[in-house]
Amino acid sequence: MADRRDFGWPAGLVCLGLLGAGWFVGHGFEAGRSTPPSVTVKGLAERFVTADLAVWPLRFTATGNDLEAVQAEIDDDVLAVTAFLAEAGLPEAAIQPQRVEVTDLLAQPYRPEGVGDNRFIIAQTVLVRTDQVETIDSLGRQSGELVRRGVVLVETGGPTYLFTRLNEIKPEMLAAATRNAREAAEQFAEDADAGIGGIRSASQGLFQILPRDEVPMLPETAQLEKKIRVVSTITYELE
């Protein structure tokens, strides 16, 4: 028969283990209770800006059966478009003719029927890139003048307006978003009869460039006036 005293050491070890586990669990609860309460809020900052860069591709075509004559017509169109832009005060450096595109319909794999006198199609694009955004905005509404001058325009979606100075306003907008978040945290703390401590964590949201006016079928890039928005998420300790 085994001596009962042989079971004393294992039983003692089990008791010590249970006591140790209880101490760690209790200590964990105590540490959890010692973590300061906190509140997580979002801070919003918005600013209205005006685009500082306009990009406008003016694309036009000419057709005919005589390649040399069609090219001469395109050359006249380039002169007409250039004059139209220069008359508005745009410098020569802002007007950039692109490469000519020539299509011979009779050389296509699937030759269309009834080509007639329109065998050749020549397309030309004049790209306008300028910081004179107000001028482009005005010219965009006068593009019918080019049609009256004999230029057959192809729809390209109109001018694109860009805002390129986002980095210049980021610091001020982040500061404004932080102030807005703190005001929200202070209001929460006041309602909870507490005080605001330091920042426990902070997350900067993405900067968004939005249209100033939410108009269907009129995206942000087509609008001269824009709205910049950023939302920051900040966690404050409560005292």
Side-chain angles (χ1 to χ4, degrees), residues 83-217:
F84 172 74
L85 298 171
E87 289 166 8
L90 291 175
E92 183 179 349
I95 306 169
Q96 307 166 12
Q98 307 298 296
R99 68 182 182 87
V100 175
E101 302 171 26
V102 180
T103 302
D104 183 353
L105 295 180
L106 294 183
Q108 299 303 305
Y110 300 98
R111 181 178 301 178
E113 297 181 0
V115 172
D117 296 331
N118 295 320
R119 172 183 174 181
F120 297 104
I121 301 175
I122 297 183
Q124 172 81 59
T125 300
V126 172
L127 183 65
V128 184
R129 190 177 190 277
T130 177
D131 58 2
Q132 299 182 35
V133 294
E134 298 286 354
T135 299
I136 296 300
D137 186 48
S138 176
L139 288 177
R141 295 190 293 269
Q142 303 173 35
S143 57
E145 174 61 25
L146 285 173
V147 178
R148 284 189 287 271
R149 297 186 187 188
V151 180
V152 181
L153 289 174
V154 178
E155 179 58 45
T156 59
T160 295
Y161 300 104
L162 306 172
F163 181 71
T164 66
R165 301 198 305 269
L166 182 60
N167 286 337
E168 296 178 13
I169 65 174
K170 274 185 176 182
E172 293 181 7
M173 291 195 66
L174 287 174
T178 301
R179 288 194 299 270
N180 182 255
R182 186 168 184 86
E183 290 172 1
E186 289 173 346
Q187 182 61 55
F188 179 89
E190 181 180 343
D191 296 340
D193 195 22
I196 291 293
I199 295 177
R200 181 178 296 178
S201 65
S203 174
Q204 173 195 321
L206 294 176
F207 278 83
Q208 294 178 290
I209 302 180
L210 306 169
R212 177 163 186 159
D213 302 306
E214 298 288 346
V215 180
M217 306 301 293

Side-chain angles (χ1 to χ4, degrees), residues 40-123:
T40 299
V41 293
K42 294 184 180 295
L44 170 68
E46 291 183 337
R47 176 176 295 190
F48 294 108
V49 299
T50 301
D52 57 84
L53 177 65
V55 180
W56 187 16
L58 284 163
R59 184 177 176 83
F60 42 92
T61 63
T63 61
N65 204 37
D66 186 318
L67 182 60
E68 185 176 349
V70 178
Q71 180 60 62
E73 185 178 345
I74 281 292
D75 292 340
D76 289 342
D77 289 346
V78 171
L79 292 176
V81 170
T82 303
F84 172 74
L85 298 171
E87 289 166 8
L90 291 175
E92 183 179 349
I95 306 169
Q96 307 166 12
Q98 307 298 296
R99 68 182 182 87
V100 175
E101 302 171 26
V102 180
T103 302
D104 183 353
L105 295 180
L106 294 183
Q108 299 303 305
Y110 300 98
R111 181 178 301 178
E113 297 181 0
V115 172
D117 296 331
N118 295 320
R119 172 183 174 181
F120 297 104
I121 301 175
I122 297 183

